[in-house]
Amino acid sequence: RGNFGDYSGTIVMDPAKAENSSVEFVIKATSVNTANEKRDGHLRSPDFFDVEKNPEITFKSTKVTGGAGGAYQVTGNLTMRGVTKEITLPVTFLGETKDPWGNVKAGFETATRINRKEYGINWNAALDQGGFMLADDVDIQINLEVGPTKPAAAK
């Protein structure tokens, strides 16, 4: 298991009309962290994310549908390692609340599976007992707590 520690994004949510909603995010591929520096270095190499040539993983929605019970289907373009594919994320809006300091926070979660080879991540190693070290499919789980963007100060 691993995660990415450097990311940003924008969620525009219209609960009354899901089609007016949108999602964009950018992940810095160099921020991959599996708690093993040697493995993380290999993941940053051309065998995997090739961060020198492809420093970011991005997603930009093209369509949002649903909304009943907080369940949305967010379709968009995922770009990783220079390859863009359309995917649909089943997103659940978990609700909104105020934190102890009075700031509004909203929660979202999604989980999906992608085939790493579709994004040009083909490295693998045969195991002595048969089979391969890595599966082609990768499970992705995203849990977000977000707050509203503060308007820029007037100049």
Side-chain angles (χ1 to χ4, degrees), residues 71-122:
Y72 294 86
Q73 297 295 312
V74 180
T75 300
N77 294 312
L78 175 65
T79 302
M80 182 168 43
R81 207 175 188 270
V83 177
T84 301
K85 297 279 184 186
E86 183 178 79
I87 66 169
T88 299
L89 299 171
V91 176
T92 302
F93 171 57
L94 301 173
E96 192 174 87
T97 190
K98 285 189 179 180
D99 68 16
W101 302 273
N103 302 303
V104 175
K105 299 290 183 180
F108 297 88
E109 68 181 6
T110 187
T112 193
R113 178 175 284 173
I114 62 169
N115 184 311
R116 65 186 176 86
K117 288 185 173 182
E118 291 179 359
Y119 294 89
I121 301 174
N122 297 310

Side-chain angles (χ1 to χ4, degrees), residues 51-65:
V51 301
E52 291 291 321
K53 292 182 184 172
N54 305 286
E56 297 178 337
I57 299 167
T58 62
F59 177 84
K60 184 172 183 172
S61 66
T62 56
K63 182 170 102 174
V64 178
T65 59

Side-chain angles (χ1 to χ4, degrees), residues 16-28:
K17 293 184 91 178
E19 62 271 16
N20 292 338
S21 301
S22 63
V23 177
E24 289 186 47
F25 63 78
V26 175
I27 299 168
K28 300 295 183 184

